[in-house]
Amino acid sequence: MPNATVIGAGVGGLAAAVALARRGWTVTVLERAAGLENVGAGLAVAPNGLRALDVLGLGERVRALAALQGTAGIQRPDGTWITRTDAAAAEARFGLPTIVIHRATLIQLLADAATAHGVTLNLNTPAEDAEVPGDLVVAADGLHSAVRRKLFPEAPGPAYTGVTSWRFVVPRPPGELKLSETWGDGAVVGVVNLGDDLVYCYATAPAPPGEKAGDERAELRRRFGAWHEPIPSLMSAATEIIRTDIRCLDIPLPQFHKGRVALLGDAAHAMTPNLGQGACQALEDAVTLAAHAGDLPGYSKQRASRTATVAAASRRIGRLAALRGPAAALRNTGMTIAGRLGPNLVLRQMDPIFSWRP
C-alpha cells in the first residue's frame, strides 16, 4: 500500500488526506498547531467546490447546510443597488447552490472523514522537526509555505495587495437581511447568512501593511459607521474580530511539484478572496492530486493553468473593488447598466469557474 505524508491540516491538506485514503493510500498528516483550526469565519463553497466534496463523500452533508437564498448583489454605501443576482437563477444555471459554511465546521467534517478512512493525524508537529517519509509528500502548509520556498527558492513570496481585511461572526438580527457586498470608496463590506441564526461579515480597506488598531471594532465603526444598515449594527455587535492583511502569489509558479513532493492550496497558488475561491481551489487540488498521485506532472499540468486563471480573475475583481473617486463612480454606473442589459451577465462570467467538474 503506498504511503503519503501531508504537511498541514487546513482545508486543502485534510481534503487531500481523505482523497488519497479513499484511493487506498496510507496517509499521515503533520500539523504544526496543537489542535485543529478553529479560527477564521465563513467561507464560500461554490458549485465547483461542492463537486470536489462529492468525490470525498461529503457533498450531501455540506449541502444540508443553509444555501444562499433570495437576491444577492452589490450595493452602494447608501444602500442603493449597483447590481443584483438571483440565487435561484445561479443554482439553476450551475446545477448546485453556493453554501457559506463556518471554516471550523468544514475543517471538522474533513477531519472526521479522514479519521474514518484511517488517516493518522499528528498535531503539534512542525514539519522541519520531523522526518517526512512516504512515496508522496503533499505540502499544504499555507500562504507562507516553507516547502514552497525550499522547492522554488527563486520564486517571489506573497505580495501585499495594499488592502487589509476584518472578519467576524455575529447573531443574525431580526427582520430581513439583504445578502450583499457594499462597495464604497476603495472599501468593501460583505454580509452573508451562515446558518444557525449567525451572520458572517467581512470588510476590506486600504491600509499600510502590519497596521493594527487598539480597538478593531471602533476602527470598523470609524470607517463604516455611516454606511447603510445593518452594517453599523452588525459591527457594533462584533466581539471577536480577525484582522488580516491580504497577500497573494502575484506571479504563478511554473509547476506544483518537484520529485515526489506536490504543492496544494495556498502553498501553491494563494489568491485574493474576491471570488471566494480559495477553499474551492484547494478542494479541486485535493481530488485532482489523488487522481494523479502517480503522475505529478499530470497534476501540475491540470492545476497550474486552472488556478492561475482563477487567481488572475480574483485579482481583477479586487482591483475593481478598490477603485476610488470618479473611477469608482464610473465603475458603479457601468455595472448598473450592464446588469440592466443582461441580468445573467455576472452568472455567465462565472461559467468557467463554477462549471468545473472532477
Side-chain angles (χ1 to χ4, degrees):
M1 195 176 285
N3 293 277
T5 298
V6 178
I7 303 171
V11 170
L14 289 172
V18 176
L20 288 165
R22 286 173 66 92
R23 287 178 172 264
W25 286 69
T26 299
V27 184
T28 299
V29 178
L30 305 181
E31 169 56 44
R32 175 190 299 273
L36 289 175
E37 186 177 1
N38 59 8
V39 297
L43 57 82
V45 183
N48 55 313
L50 284 173
R51 293 189 189 97
L53 286 170
D54 282 338
V55 176
L56 305 181
L58 296 173
E60 286 300 326
R61 294 183 65 181
V62 172
R63 282 196 284 280
L65 303 172
L68 292 182
Q69 296 178 345
T71 298
I74 300 174
Q75 295 177 273
R76 297 177 179 85
D78 65 4
T80 58
W81 289 95
I82 298 172
T83 182
R84 303 170 90 168
T85 302
D86 182 60
E91 182 172 350
R93 185 178 189 90
F94 301 114
L96 289 170
T98 292
I99 309 294
V100 180
I101 185 173
H102 199 290
R103 185 180 189 88
T105 301
L106 182 57
I107 290 285
Q108 193 60 58
L109 284 172
L110 290 166
D112 290 345
T115 301
H117 284 88
V119 172
T120 300
L121 179 57
N122 291 336
L123 299 173
N124 204 22
T125 309
E128 59 266 28
D129 297 335
E131 290 187 10
V132 184
D135 303 298
L136 170 68
V137 175
V138 180
D141 53 339
L143 174 68
H144 299 289
S145 170
V147 179
R148 182 184 65 237
R149 292 197 302 270
K150 217 167 248 196
L151 295 183
F152 302 100
E154 304 303 320
Y160 181 48
T161 62
V163 172
T164 196
S165 70
W166 296 264
R167 294 170 291 154
F168 58 92
V169 174
V170 295
R172 180 190 170 103
E176 181 186 7
L177 184 70
K178 295 177 181 177
L179 311 180
S180 69
E181 279 194 346
T182 299
W183 288 15
D185 198 36
V188 172
V189 175
V191 177
V192 187
N193 278 325
L194 198 55
D196 295 328
D197 287 325
L198 297 174
V199 179
Y200 168 48
C201 303
Y202 56 89
T204 62
E211 183 176 85
K212 299 291 183 183
D215 183 340
E216 295 292 358
R217 183 169 62 175
E219 177 68 7
L220 285 172
R221 289 200 300 259
R222 182 185 72 80
R223 289 175 177 267
F224 303 105
W227 288 30
H228 68 83
E229 286 290 351
I231 288 172
S233 296
L234 293 171
M235 290 177 172
S236 294
T239 56
E240 184 177 343
I241 298 170
I242 302 165
R243 180 168 178 171
T244 310
D245 287 344
I246 296 178
R247 290 180 164 83
C248 65
L249 296 178
D250 258 347
I251 300 177
L253 293 174
Q255 60 189 50
F256 291 170
H257 80 286
K258 271 196 177 178
R260 293 181 291 123
V261 182
L263 294 170
L264 180 149
D266 281 353
H269 49 69
M271 58 188 67
T272 64
N274 303 92
L275 284 177
Q277 277 290 307
C280 292
Q281 291 304 305
L283 292 168
E284 287 187 19
D285 288 347
V287 299
T288 305
L289 174 61
H292 290 80
D295 174 27
L296 293 187
Y299 163 71
S300 275
K301 183 177 180 181
Q302 284 207 26
R303 297 306 303 159
S305 58
R306 161 80 171 163
T307 55
T309 299
V310 175
S314 186
R315 194 78 161 100
R316 285 195 298 272
I317 296 296
R319 292 189 178 106
L320 190 65
L323 292 176
R324 309 180 77 168
L330 185 61
R331 170 203 67 199
N332 294 350
T333 301
M335 291 173 66
T336 300
I337 292 172
R340 289 172 180 167
L341 291 176
N344 290 322
L345 178 61
V346 173
L347 297 182
R348 287 199 301 272
Q349 291 175 333
M350 298 305 294
D351 277 348
I353 298 174
F354 286 178
S355 297
W356 174 91
R357 295 179 182 277

